[in-house]
Amino acid sequence: MGWLDAALSVGTTIGKIAGALQGSPGAMTHIGPIGNGINPKIGQVIFWLDEYNHIWAVNQSDDQVGIYFPGAKGGTPEGDNYTIAAHSRFPISGAFNTYSLADVDEFVVTPFKSNGSAGLGNGEGNNTIQASASNQPANVEFKVGAFIRMRVSGSERLAMVTVVGGLALAGIVLFTIRGAGRTQGQLSNLEPPESANGGVTSMTIPLPAGVDVSAGVSFVDITVSVQNMQPLLAKLAHENAGLMVPLTKEDHQRIAAYAGP
């Protein structure tokens, strides 16, 4: 497996999921990368509507999955990440309602796949995380997904990338940024300084030539390779454990028979 193969975050919207289910109990829709799980022909995450009109986020894959909602413009509610254990389902209706009422429609699904193959930042047990953000100010730290923070300086032509939650930054796999206009720049294969000797949480990287961020960042997408993901995932899964439901034999059969839209 190449070290980019695990960078598989997929963005969608609450409206799109609700529209696909159409208020029909038993309806299902799927999202995410295929090739893993109970039914490898469909996306790793399924949303289905039960007989009580509750929407469940179903992780049919062999890896943990995170569902991240960005914070509302006013800061309430804040951004939050729901981590779903492998072969489990989680009641997501409450989150959908909370963020919809705050005019937050978009969310991101990220399988947290461990990747131990050779390559940048891919020591044994490392994970890759991909996240993106739009319309962010310069010279102010902002969130890019659940575990990455960034600060971009137009005058210094630098970006500070920080991982949070106890993670260590093993490298930046891919960095794409656009400021004013349509000029978009990209960097890849960025490693921490050799003097860092592990345990790095932040890296300062140069902005690609030609990208003007003096008025802010119109779009940024970043994939990082990190260490210490498993303890963080265990903590997040524990926080949601009371609502997590392991998939039953009947659930497995239903998923295996689902052909998708």
Side-chain angles (χ1 to χ4, degrees), residues 110-227:
T110 304
F112 295 116
K113 178 180 289 295
S114 179
N115 188 351
S117 61
L120 167 69
N122 264 355
E124 184 177 353
N126 285 16
N127 293 77
T128 50
I129 304 173
Q130 178 196 13
S132 60
S134 301
N135 301 321
Q136 299 295 328
N139 303 310
V140 175
E141 187 177 72
F142 57 89
K143 295 181 179 180
V144 187
F147 308 113
I148 303 171
R149 304 291 182 268
M150 187 177 297
R151 181 180 181 274
V152 176
S153 170
S155 59
E156 298 177 338
R157 304 287 306 159
L158 295 172
M160 172 71 79
V161 178
T162 302
V163 293
V164 299
L167 298 176
L169 186 57
I172 297 176
V173 178
L174 191 64
F175 174 71
T176 303
I177 188 168
R178 185 172 65 245
R182 296 185 178 182
T183 302
Q184 180 169 293
Q186 193 172 81
L187 301 171
S188 62
N189 299 344
L190 304 173
E191 297 182 328
E194 292 184 7
S195 59
N197 196 28
V200 175
T201 59
S202 297
M203 285 177 59
T204 299
I205 59 176
L207 293 178
V211 176
D212 177 11
V213 296
S214 57
V217 176
S218 60
F219 174 76
V220 63
D221 186 277
I222 187 168
T223 300
V224 296
S225 180
V226 298
Q227 299 168 341

Side-chain angles (χ1 to χ4, degrees), residues 2-34:
W3 49 261
L4 272 177
D5 291 347
L8 296 170
S9 295
V10 179
T12 187
T13 67
I14 296 171
K16 183 176 181 180
I17 297 301
L21 299 177
Q22 295 182 342
S24 303
M28 303 168 66
T29 187
H30 66 102
I31 188 174
I34 64 174

